[in-house]
Amino acid sequence: GIQVEQSPPDLILQEGANSTLRCNFSDSVNNLQWFHQNPWGQLINLFYIPSGTKQNGRLSATTVATERYSLLYISSSQTTDSGVYFCAVERDAGGTSYGKLTFGQGTILTVHP
Amino acid sequence: DAGVTQSPTHLIKTRGQQVTLRCSPKSGHDTVSWYQQALGQGPQFIFQYYEEEERQRGNFPDRFSGHQFPNYSSELNVNALLLGDSALYLCASSAGIVFRVEQYFGPGTRLTVT
């Protein structure tokens, strides 16, 4: 199956700092989503970004599908940004895996005041 | 606009018992997928339901089964519970099974097997 690797595994920042999270995947994908998992386990949709660049406030994301990676940028980080960030992809398998997301191991972000 | 809902929030069961978890998809969605998230890991795909049929299945034993109802809600059943089944169970919904659709997750059910 497709492999999804996220880096770094852990990231500790001071409030106000910027950061970049990376997601590499081993095969062609139809879909890529970034999620933030809060302490209660809820997965919050950040970006649906199979290709291109999107921005939402202090967050932005870029996916270069041809080179099999995606980046999540967090600017001016806040303590509320703390949590686990997951990248999830849907492999392009010719119609046999629509809707099946494969997740990376996540990046644990801690933002200190 | 109601999001994905799951019940119960928490559940404690004993080894060998059976459990049923429930999920209602986001308004307008007709496809439900279930994921298991062990502590410290990313979620893993269990199976997907569309038009009341299992459409895809991940690498999980037959002890894991499901059902989808005409109103698109879904149940996940796990028989003969093992200690290793302790995890957060997440339900996701989407609109159809065509490609390039965004999935939305519910708050999860935390299952503890003792």
Side-chain angles (χ1 to χ4, degrees):
Chain A
I2 192 168
Q3 305 300 313
V4 182
E5 294 183 0
Q6 292 186 240
S7 60
D10 297 275
L11 188 57
I12 300 174
L13 302 173
Q14 287 297 127
E15 207 167 26
N18 302 328
S19 61
T20 301
L21 282 59
R22 187 176 180 100
C23 172
N24 292 333
F25 41 94
S26 61
D27 206 343
S28 299
V29 299
N30 288 321
N31 180 15
L32 188 146
Q33 292 186 239
W34 282 98
F35 297 93
H36 176 209
Q37 189 166 42
N38 66 22
W40 299 272
Q42 173 82 57
L43 282 171
I44 299 163
N45 290 39
L46 296 178
F47 293 101
Y48 165 70
I49 187 167
S51 63
T53 297
K54 290 186 177 180
Q55 179 154 6
N56 184 4
R58 296 182 296 104
L59 274 60
S60 63
T62 295
T63 297
V64 184
T66 53
E67 296 187 22
R68 298 181 184 171
Y69 74 89
S70 183
L71 301 174
L72 176 68
Y73 306 96
I74 304 174
S75 64
S76 304
S77 58
Q78 301 175 358
T79 56
T80 52
D81 294 332
S82 296
V84 186
Y85 289 79
F86 285 105
C87 165
V89 303
E90 177 188 299
R91 179 173 163 250
D92 182 359
T96 62
S97 66
Y98 293 153
K100 175 183 176 181
L101 290 177
T102 300
F103 283 75
Q105 291 296 303
T107 292
I108 302 173
L109 175 64
T110 304
V111 181
H112 291 301
Chain B
D1 180 19
V4 182
T5 60
Q6 292 186 242
S7 63
T9 306
H10 295 87
L11 205 50
I12 300 175
K13 289 287 189 178
T14 304
R15 273 180 301 175
Q17 286 188 317
Q18 179 264 346
V19 69
T20 297
L21 311 182
R22 295 176 177 82
C23 170
S24 290
K26 182 178 168 64
S27 178
H29 287 183
D30 55 7
T31 303
V32 172
S33 300
W34 287 92
Y35 292 78
Q36 180 196 65
Q37 185 178 18
L39 198 61
Q41 305 293 318
Q44 288 197 307
F45 177 81
I46 303 175
F47 43 53
Q48 175 193 68
Y49 276 84
Y50 173 71
E51 292 187 335
E52 302 180 47
E53 290 186 10
E54 182 182 295
R55 297 290 177 156
Q56 297 187 71
R57 190 177 184 91
N59 189 24
F60 280 81
D62 292 345
R63 298 187 298 108
F64 289 76
S65 64
H67 187 76
Q68 186 179 35
F69 299 94
N71 67 352
Y72 310 124
S73 66
S74 176
E75 288 182 349
L76 163 65
N77 301 294
V78 187
N79 294 323
L81 284 167
L82 304 174
L83 294 179
D85 295 331
S86 295
L88 179 67
Y89 288 85
L90 296 163
C91 167
S93 76
S94 58
I97 55 172
V98 296
F99 73 106
R100 298 203 169 189
V101 290
E102 189 171 1
Q103 295 203 42
Y104 293 84
F105 282 78
T109 293
R110 195 167 297 276
L111 172 65
T112 302
V113 182
T114 62

